[in-house]
Amino acid sequence: MSPARSQHTFSYIVEDRGQDFSGTSYPWRIATLPMDLIGFGYAAFVTFGSIWTYKRRGGIPSLIAGLFLGVLAGYGAYRVSNDKRDVKLSLFTAFFLATMMGVRFKRSKKVMPAGLVAGLSLMMILRLVLLML
């Protein structure tokens, strides 16, 4: 990894027996992920969910809306990957999906797929708000 990494990366802890710049020895170090893997996973879930629903039920408008929102979520994840405070597009997409699928879930009381997508969208909203802090 190059020393000129972006400061806007996601971190996880890996085991390492190295030293930091001051010479202090630590049993772990923080490795960084240069992209928003959770956001890209959410976008893939929305996109493939719309394709799966189209194959099951054949609704063209749902396919178009799902693909459009999946692409928007993917582009939003790309923007978050470049700057973790640039969450507007991802937040809008997750809010829109949480609202629409939440209404469908309330009306139908079916957890799959409306409740699942609404719940995941609410978790994405929480995550994105925490990223802004």
Side-chain angles (χ1 to χ4, degrees), residues 82-130:
N82 291 329
D83 180 10
K84 75 173 188 170
R85 297 184 63 83
D86 188 12
V87 297
K88 291 183 272 286
L89 185 62
S90 292
L91 195 60
F92 168 76
T93 306
F95 180 76
F96 183 77
L97 271 172
T99 303
M100 295 305 294
M101 293 306 227
V103 168
R104 283 187 181 183
F105 173 67
K106 186 175 180 186
R107 194 176 339 134
S108 70
K109 302 288 187 224
K110 292 183 181 178
V111 175
M112 186 65 181
L116 180 66
V117 174
L120 285 175
S121 297
L122 287 173
M123 288 193 294
M124 277 298 291
I125 290 170
L126 176 67
R127 178 183 168 271
L128 292 168
V129 167
L130 291 175

Side-chain angles (χ1 to χ4, degrees), residues 5-130:
R5 285 184 291 204
S6 170
Q7 65 181 356
H8 303 294
T9 55
F10 298 97
S11 303
Y12 61 95
I13 297 176
V14 295
E15 198 169 321
D16 186 17
R17 303 284 180 205
Q19 294 180 346
D20 66 1
F21 293 112
S22 66
T24 307
S25 179
Y26 292 103
W28 48 266
R29 68 180 169 91
I30 295 185
T32 56
L33 295 174
M35 62 182 149
D36 181 15
L37 293 178
I38 296 171
F40 283 119
Y42 175 73
F45 173 77
V46 171
T47 303
F48 290 123
S50 70
I51 294 169
W52 181 64
T53 303
Y54 170 72
K55 287 188 177 232
R56 255 180 95 214
R57 298 201 175 167
I60 300 273
S62 293
L63 174 68
I64 293 170
L67 290 176
F68 179 71
L69 288 170
V71 167
L72 274 181
Y75 182 62
Y78 169 75
R79 290 179 61 157
V80 170
S81 296
N82 291 329
D83 180 10
K84 75 173 188 170
R85 297 184 63 83
D86 188 12
V87 297
K88 291 183 272 286
L89 185 62
S90 292
L91 195 60
F92 168 76
T93 306
F95 180 76
F96 183 77
L97 271 172
T99 303
M100 295 305 294
M101 293 306 227
V103 168
R104 283 187 181 183
F105 173 67
K106 186 175 180 186
R107 194 176 339 134
S108 70
K109 302 288 187 224
K110 292 183 181 178
V111 175
M112 186 65 181
L116 180 66
V117 174
L120 285 175
S121 297
L122 287 173
M123 288 193 294
M124 277 298 291
I125 290 170
L126 176 67
R127 178 183 168 271
L128 292 168
V129 167
L130 291 175

